[in-house]
Amino acid sequence: ANGNMISRASEILTYDYDNRLSKLQSSSSGNTAVTLEITLNPGWNFITLPFMVNDNSIAALLSSISGKYSQVARYHPAAKKWEYYIPVYTDFPSQFSAMETGRGYQVYISASSSCVLKITGRAVNTNYSISLTTGWQMLGYPSKNKARVSDALANLVKGVNYDRISRYDQTTKAFIDLAASDYLEAGQSYFIRMLKDSTWTVLPEKNTTEFIYDYAGSRVKKILNGVTTATYVGELYEKAGSLITKHIYLGSQRLISKSGAQTLYY
């Protein structure tokens, strides 16, 4: 309605109320192998399978921490009970042996120090549906990137489909409810309380760039997939990671940009 371009090739552009570009989304390829590293601490950890994989057996998926974990647990919402996978056979046989993409799990690290779980697979590049049952259950956002709750659960309405989504804080040993603006972290799992049986539809993974503006309308921050990648101070100063760029103007005309050892003249 405002005449702005809303799409460009495979990109989707979104504008705020002041007609400024606020979000840019581009599709990710689902054919390229990607790896996510998840740090796990001694005790229980909440994880998810974030990718599509050829071998979803627990033994294969957790091969990078073989010998450092003693069990994996999942919650069965219909039966309202926990089920367990035991890697070394005991008198208590395993009740499952594979993981599903987007489902939530707990893994118990028996090692005395932290370890790194490495999961390699393919990004979700088509609509992916997960059936959710009334009551509590565990889920995780299937992506290598974190996403805001409002984006990750876009087709679920709070107060209609669900009323709470919570994460477990290992430090305080307590569950913390998440707001729509909070993030679902890559590789982490969460508890969600469903008000009715619903289908959660996860859209194909996209790279999301968000632009933040100050009260005067100046761009102050760029966020890529939930991570701040650039900070701006007016039009004179830009910081992207450890690289600092300074701009020199004559009136409204940019004359020079100096970035590290490189100087550009206009």
Side-chain angles (χ1 to χ4, degrees):
N2 55 16
N4 286 328
M5 178 186 296
I6 60 174
S7 64
R8 181 178 59 195
S10 62
E11 298 175 329
I12 299 175
L13 292 77
T14 305
Y15 300 84
D16 62 17
Y17 289 113
D18 292 315
N19 208 28
R20 300 170 301 206
L21 180 64
S22 60
K23 184 185 294 186
L24 185 152
Q25 293 180 303
S26 59
S27 299
S28 298
S29 172
N31 299 318
T32 304
V34 288
T35 298
L36 180 67
E37 296 187 355
I38 308 170
T39 299
L40 305 177
N41 299 312
W44 286 108
N45 296 261
F46 289 73
I47 69 168
T48 191
L49 173 56
F51 306 130
M52 308 302 293
V53 295
N54 293 327
D55 186 351
N56 69 336
S57 67
I58 295 176
L61 292 171
L62 304 190
S63 60
S64 61
I65 57 170
S66 179
K68 298 180 180 180
Y69 71 98
S70 60
Q71 55 184 307
V72 178
R74 70 180 182 186
Y75 186 70
H76 194 299
K80 294 182 172 57
K81 66 177 184 179
W82 289 95
E83 298 177 334
Y84 299 89
Y85 166 79
I86 311 297
V88 179
Y89 181 78
T90 65
D91 292 334
F92 185 81
S94 296
Q95 296 164 292
F96 67 102
S97 59
M99 290 185 175
E100 296 179 54
T101 301
R103 297 287 184 183
Y105 301 88
Q106 293 187 63
V107 58
Y108 189 86
I109 299 301
S110 52
S112 59
S113 59
S114 299
C115 57
V116 176
L117 170 62
K118 297 180 181 180
I119 300 179
T120 299
R122 304 178 307 280
V124 174
N125 66 340
T126 58
N127 286 4
Y128 182 74
S129 297
I130 300 175
S131 297
L132 301 176
T133 306
T134 303
W136 285 104
Q137 58 225 275
M138 297 177 69
L139 56 73
Y141 185 55
S143 172
K144 70 180 185 299
N145 303 312
K146 64 182 181 180
R148 284 195 170 90
V149 171
S150 58
D151 293 329
L153 305 182
N155 80 302
L156 300 178
V157 180
K158 187 172 184 180
V160 177
N161 300 99
Y162 75 100
D163 65 348
R164 291 177 64 186
I165 182 166
S166 310
R167 68 174 179 85
Y168 184 72
D169 189 302
Q170 283 191 314
T171 302
T172 62
K173 309 298 182 185
F175 285 95
I176 300 174
D177 286 350
L178 302 182
S181 58
D182 289 329
Y183 283 95
L184 299 187
E185 299 289 339
Q188 304 299 308
S189 64
Y190 302 83
F191 276 99
I192 186 169
R193 186 166 67 182
M194 301 301 298
L195 298 176
K196 63 179 182 179
D197 293 355
S198 305
T199 298
W200 176 33
T201 301
V202 181
L203 300 179
E205 183 170 325
K206 294 182 180 295
N207 290 314
T208 301
T209 302
E210 299 173 272
F211 301 100
I212 308 300
Y213 301 85
D214 63 14
Y215 70 96
S218 298
R219 183 180 296 177
V220 295
K221 189 181 296 185
K222 180 169 74 172
I223 302 172
L224 175 62
N225 297 325
V227 178
T228 299
T229 58
T231 303
Y232 309 93
V233 178
E235 297 179 331
L236 303 179
Y237 177 95
E238 176 181 340
K239 183 175 186 294
S242 60
L243 181 65
I244 295 175
T245 302
K246 297 179 180 179
H247 307 290
I248 298 175
Y249 285 79
L250 177 62
S252 60
Q253 177 65 45
R254 181 187 296 180
L255 300 178
I256 300 172
S257 291
K258 183 171 180 60
S259 179
Q262 183 181 32
T263 301
L264 301 176
Y265 297 91
Y266 299 90

